[in-house]
Amino acid sequence: MLRNYLVVALRNIVKHRLYTAINVLGLSSGLAACLVIVLFVRDETSYDRFWKRADRIYRLTTTFTAQGREPLSVVRGQGPARDAFLRAFPELDAGARLNEMQPTLRVGERVTEETVTWVDPEVLDLLDFDVRAGDLKRALADNSSLAVSRTFATKLFGAEEPLGRTVTFTLGTLVRDYRVAAVYEDLPENTVLSIGAMVRIDEKDFLDQPWRFAAWFSVNNVILFRLREGASIGSVTPRLPDFVDRTIDASPIIGAGAKASTLIRYRFQKLTDAQLHPVGLGELKPTGDARVVFLFASVAGLILLIACINFMNLATARSTGRAREVALRKVHGAHRSQLVLQFLGESVLMAAVALLIALALVELLLPSFGAFLGKKLVLPYGDPTMLATLGGIVLFVGLVGGTYPALLLSGFRPARILKANRSTEATGSLRLRNALVVFQFFVSIALIGSAAVVWLQMRYTIGRDPGYRRESMLLVRNLDREAVSKVRDVLRNEVRALPGVTSVALSGETPMATQENNMVAEVPGPSGQKGITLGVQDIDEGFLRTYGIQLLAGRDLSIDRATDAYPSPEDLAPGALRPAAALVNRSALARLGLGSPEEALGRTFRTLDGDPEKEPATVELSVVGVIPDIHFQSLQSVIRPEVYVLRPRRAGHMAVHFSGDPAALVSAVGDVWRRTVPEVPFRFDFLDEVLAKQVEEERRRAILLGTFSFLAVVVACLGLYVLARFAAERGAREMGVRQGLGASVTDIVRLFVWQFS
């Protein structure tokens, strides 16, 4: 019997080639799109689940809620936080800090700059590294050993044996030889962590940089904790505010008597949740978004549903051609259950054929799709879960697409069909098919509308004026290196003298590369506001001119005015009052309550600065100019209140506005750099490219959504075409009568178009 079912199914497939081809093409296209999205969703949901104790690893996140500012969340914590948490909460049995830095590395005569992670040795209690050579514990046992990943070792040493090789680190005042003591396998792609090389944290190496590991108001470290077996993170969370109040003295920022928990809020996030539920700034790698995963999973489901509806509609429409076959089978003793099984078998067979074609399409498209997303996606045929998924898809499509047609066909009455020598389609079947076609196009139009909204939002973001010049801007990094800081002015002047250079500016930050440096300010007087958190930008006198920022009122900062410059550390004696000038943006103006741009000129506000171990000095800043709000942070973020001070000694970047050939300029600036500071690598970016990267994720999302929406429409249209063809064949006699009564071809076409519209 099963052999007979198979033969009949194959005969029907061959007999109705057009129907089969279009049905399989639509179904396989929908399945291919669904599988590609399933692989994307599978990858996004697999992050950090490969660690042995993944269910017990958490990372600390910190949220600052300053008065008058949007809450600032970061996925990092303060240097002293790790030990404080381990002492306060016995539920946590291990913890480790990870702090990424970019030292200059010298290997022989070659100088390069790479990202190295300073870690606590306890990181080995939390994460499982696949050691290829050497001893990882030994590498983290002292402060002069280095552990590198396989890729990092290849980058530094090529094909040579890395173990025992010496690398000289230069980072600020830290200059030390590190010996490679271990090589480990690269971390998998599906992790939010990025550890290409590791050295042990020795806080004595950073006494001149207390913000890295000693300060409670600087968040530089990714801090991981392991939950004790059997403990619950829910028992820790309610005690966090009390821990903050007992541990952190926030009075210099929020005033005496105020609770630190009103400023700082901690949260534990499971490491496996980090990829799809990003909290804020400070990620080691770009992360995903649970909403995007849900969106594309929904799109996959809708495309598959459209393909199933096509499958069902076409099978139902063909019922007129198989009515006599069903009637004859029933006359010869076939039960309805046998007929249902036959038609469901045909449906599953068709779905299996479509799946095979879909798998071929996926293999062809996957490399391009993965490269577009920046992921390495593969179809794991050996994975039992994936095989079960593929089998489940075939059964789902076969059963969903074939159940109604099977019940409909098996329900025909032999006497009525054979007596009339034809079949009459039930009104309910016709109505259902029409409703499903309408639903298909409703879904398709909704997808296209969503894609259009995403595309328009992306175009708006790209076209949005950030408030500064974007074109012909070269950004040079690494000016905060110890070797460069000594010749910073010489470097700036030589670059400024190059042909094609219009202007040059030094600054502590550049667009999309901000550090969230802040000051706490107060406005003098009985009615003045206190505890105001403002962002700080360190600039030189060429900043506004180079970035093309127009003043709303007042004047620019000038190096020729002695009182404009921000006091140097030597001038910030304990208890002293020092004057300086500042530019403020509109948001800061409103936050300080200084009135209109014109009214703010000459007004003052104060901030504390100096050695944190001694009585602070007071800096009184006079507003000399007001500028518009500009998007130095992410284009999607809220613009923060900002103060711009004349402090080029803290500049880590140089912006160069130029005219002419960009390649020639890069070559000329690079020559100046290598001649002036050959021991520091030359790093640069073009500002327009930096901004373009900010919207790259949105651009990819818009393109993918548009592509899948278009595919949904194509699949729906394929089904509509076949339905129209069947309708025309079924109504051939009616069309003949209409033509005989004088109807033109145009009238008949108009009738069909009207019905399907």
Side-chain angles (χ1 to χ4, degrees):
M1 184 176 66
L2 292 176
R3 181 175 177 275
N4 176 260
Y5 288 167
L6 181 61
V7 169
V8 171
L10 293 175
R11 284 176 179 173
N12 271 296
I13 289 175
V14 173
K15 182 179 179 181
H16 301 282
R17 296 182 184 85
L18 177 65
Y19 158 79
T20 301
I22 291 180
N23 207 359
V24 170
L25 177 62
L27 190 55
S28 60
S29 299
L31 285 172
C34 183
L35 284 175
V36 166
I37 296 177
V38 164
L39 291 177
F40 165 72
V41 173
R42 180 177 181 269
D43 179 79
E44 287 287 289
T45 54
S46 69
Y47 271 64
D48 289 298
R49 298 186 183 278
F50 54 85
W51 305 113
K52 291 181 181 177
R53 294 170 286 272
D55 60 325
R56 293 163 51 203
I57 301 175
Y58 290 80
R59 69 175 181 180
L60 185 69
T61 70
T62 311
T63 300
F64 293 95
T65 309
Q67 184 181 0
R69 287 277 300 274
E70 291 289 324
L72 174 66
S73 295
V74 291
V75 295
R76 303 193 176 212
Q78 304 91 332
R82 185 199 71 143
D83 291 342
F85 270 92
L86 291 176
R87 287 193 301 267
F89 301 103
E91 292 90 342
L92 307 175
D93 65 355
R97 298 168 295 181
L98 291 76
N99 194 316
E100 280 193 323
M101 305 183 207
Q102 287 76 40
T104 299
L105 309 183
R106 180 181 290 276
V107 180
E109 296 301 317
R110 190 164 70 93
V111 177
T112 183
E113 181 184 85
E114 301 293 343
T115 299
V116 177
T117 306
W118 268 253
V119 301
D120 291 308
E122 291 79 5
V123 71
L124 302 181
D125 296 331
L126 285 85
L127 308 179
D128 320 296
F129 292 90
D130 183 7
V131 181
R132 314 305 294 175
D135 188 335
L136 200 52
K137 287 186 177 180
R138 181 182 173 190
L140 298 181
D142 61 74
N143 64 356
S144 60
S145 294
L146 171 67
V148 297
S149 67
R150 185 169 49 83
T151 297
F152 196 93
T154 303
K155 188 184 298 184
L156 284 187
F157 309 110
E160 298 178 18
E161 171 60 44
L163 283 182
R165 295 290 300 273
T166 298
V167 183
T168 302
F169 279 36
T170 302
L171 182 68
T173 58
L174 173 64
V175 180
R176 178 176 297 150
D177 288 340
Y178 284 84
R179 185 181 57 82
V180 178
V183 179
Y184 56 90
E185 193 61 52
D186 296 345
L187 295 186
E189 290 290 327
N190 57 335
T191 176
V192 298
L193 303 177
S194 175
I195 310 175
M198 292 186 290
V199 297
R200 176 178 178 151
I201 293 174
D202 186 345
E203 296 189 19
K204 294 191 295 294
D205 292 337
F206 300 96
L207 294 178
D208 61 329
Q209 303 173 42
W211 61 87
R212 292 197 185 275
F213 300 109
W216 274 107
F217 294 100
S218 183
V219 282
N220 294 283
N221 301 272
V222 172
I223 306 181
L224 303 179
F225 290 103
R226 188 180 67 196
L227 190 67
R228 195 177 298 278
E229 196 167 0
S232 169
I233 203 68
S235 65
V236 176
T237 303
R239 291 144 54 196
L240 290 176
D242 181 62
F243 164 79
V244 172
D245 293 333
R246 287 186 289 104
T247 308
I248 303 175
D249 178 15
S251 58
I253 295 178
I254 57 178
K259 291 185 176 181
S261 57
T262 62
L263 174 68
I264 298 174
R265 185 175 75 252
Y266 289 122
R267 177 182 165 225
F268 288 104
Q269 182 183 40
K270 229 176 187 179
L271 191 61
T272 52
D273 293 338
Q275 170 68 8
L276 293 183
H277 302 279
V279 174
L281 304 175
E283 295 285 359
L284 296 177
K285 293 167 59 178
T287 56
D289 190 331
R291 294 170 299 181
V292 173
V293 170
F294 176 77
L295 170 67
F296 282 105
S298 301
V299 169
L302 291 173
I303 292 176
L304 189 59
L305 182 60
I306 288 174
C308 289
I309 290 174
N310 263 3
F311 197 84
M312 183 189 304
N313 279 345
L314 299 183
T316 307
R318 284 186 59 241
S319 61
T320 55
R322 304 193 67 178
R324 281 184 292 174
E325 174 194 339
V326 172
L328 287 172
R329 285 182 178 275
K330 282 192 172 183
V331 167
H332 284 84
H335 297 291
R336 187 175 187 183
S337 59
Q338 293 174 313
L339 293 172
V340 168
L341 180 62
Q342 176 193 344
F343 292 124
L344 283 179
E346 290 182 15
S347 179
V348 171
L349 176 63
M350 191 83 77
V353 172
L355 179 64
L356 292 176
I357 298 174
L359 290 174
L361 290 174
V362 169
E363 291 293 349
L364 289 173
L365 296 175
L366 206 55
S368 300
F369 183 72
F372 182 73
L373 292 175
K375 291 178 173 291
K376 293 180 181 178
L377 299 178
V378 294
L379 193 56
Y381 295 102
D383 184 356
T385 303
M386 179 55 65
L387 293 177
T389 300
L390 295 177
I393 288 176
V394 170
L395 289 176
F396 173 80
V397 172
L399 295 177
V400 170
T403 298
Y404 180 74
L407 294 175
L408 177 69
L409 289 170
S410 63
F412 287 149
R413 298 188 178 186
R416 183 182 177 194
I417 299 301
L418 296 176
K419 179 180 179 180
N421 197 29
R422 62 181 177 87
S423 70
T424 55
E425 185 172 21
T427 304
S429 172
L430 184 61
R431 286 176 179 172
L432 175 63
R433 191 162 67 244
N434 288 339
L436 291 176
V437 169
V438 170
F439 177 74
Q440 279 184 308
F441 281 91
F442 157 70
V443 171
S444 301
I445 292 169
L447 286 174
I448 286 182
S450 302
V453 169
V454 172
W455 182 264
L456 290 173
Q457 178 64 30
M458 182 199 69
R459 298 303 305 170
Y460 168 75
T461 304
I462 293 175
R464 188 177 183 181
D465 182 11
Y468 48 81
R469 181 184 287 128
R470 291 181 286 188
E471 294 77 21
S472 301
M473 290 287 290
L474 178 72
L475 305 178
V476 181
R477 315 288 186 187
N478 276 346
L479 271 76
D480 52 353
R481 299 290 181 182
E482 186 77 13
V484 182
S485 62
K486 299 174 183 177
V487 294
R488 186 184 292 122
D489 292 338
V490 174
L491 192 64
R492 176 184 57 185
N493 294 337
E494 288 203 27
V495 171
R496 185 183 290 158
L498 291 174
V501 173
T502 307
S503 61
V504 177
L506 302 179
S507 62
E509 301 176 351
T510 59
M512 312 304 134
T514 57
Q515 302 299 318
E516 281 295 335
N517 292 320
N518 293 281
M519 69 164 57
V520 179
E522 64 175 50
V523 179
S527 60
Q529 300 188 57
K530 303 183 186 300
I532 307 166
T533 303
L534 305 171
V536 182
Q537 293 270 19
D538 298 305
I539 64 173
D540 72 352
E541 70 277 8
F543 181 81
L544 297 188
R545 181 173 62 256
T546 302
Y547 278 98
I549 301 170
Q550 301 296 319
L551 284 161
L552 298 177
R555 63 173 177 83
D556 197 356
L557 298 170
S558 173
I559 199 69
D560 297 326
R561 296 173 182 257
T563 55
D564 276 11
Y566 195 89
S568 64
E570 296 76 22
D571 294 332
L572 295 173
L577 176 64
R578 294 287 182 263
L583 303 175
V584 296
N585 66 356
R586 273 192 177 275
S587 294
L589 196 69
R591 184 67 192 89
L592 291 166
L594 300 181
S596 67
E598 291 76 15
E599 293 171 341
L601 298 179
R603 297 284 300 276
T604 62
F605 58 96
R606 294 178 175 181
T607 186
L608 300 179
D609 203 344
D611 189 338
E613 302 296 328
K614 302 176 182 178
E615 181 186 357
T618 300
V619 180
E620 186 170 66
L621 295 161
S622 176
V623 178
V624 299
V626 180
I627 66 172
D629 289 339
I630 60 176
H631 271 290
F632 248 53
Q633 290 79 30
S634 166
L635 295 174
Q636 290 84 7
S637 64
V638 177
I639 295 177
R640 67 177 185 176
E642 286 190 323
V643 177
Y644 300 79
V645 297
L646 192 59
R647 189 162 46 179
R649 64 179 176 275
R650 291 180 56 172
H653 307 84
M654 178 168 60
V656 183
H657 179 234
F658 64 92
S659 60
D661 182 16
L665 177 78
V666 169
S667 177
V669 175
D671 289 341
V672 171
W673 183 281
R674 285 182 284 272
R675 186 175 66 251
T676 309
V677 276
E679 64 271 32
V680 179
F682 174 54
R683 289 183 57 207
F684 68 91
D685 294 293
F686 287 102
L687 181 53
D688 54 354
E689 295 177 357
V690 171
L691 295 176
K693 289 178 183 177
Q694 282 288 307
V695 295
E696 181 63 23
E697 183 61 33
E698 287 189 31
R699 187 183 73 85
R700 286 202 297 258
R701 192 180 308 166
I703 291 174
L704 287 176
L705 188 56
T707 301
F708 289 125
S709 300
F710 176 75
L711 178 62
V713 174
V714 169
V715 172
C717 286
L718 282 174
L720 191 63
Y721 165 74
V722 178
L723 288 177
R725 184 182 177 92
F726 273 119
E729 290 176 354
R730 190 170 58 244
R733 186 176 301 175
E734 175 192 343
M735 296 305 106
V737 172
R738 285 181 180 276
Q739 282 187 313
L741 294 174
S744 66
V745 174
T746 304
D747 293 330
I748 294 173
V749 171
R750 185 185 300 118
L751 176 64
F752 269 99
V753 170
W754 168 251
Q755 288 175 352
F756 283 98
S757 295

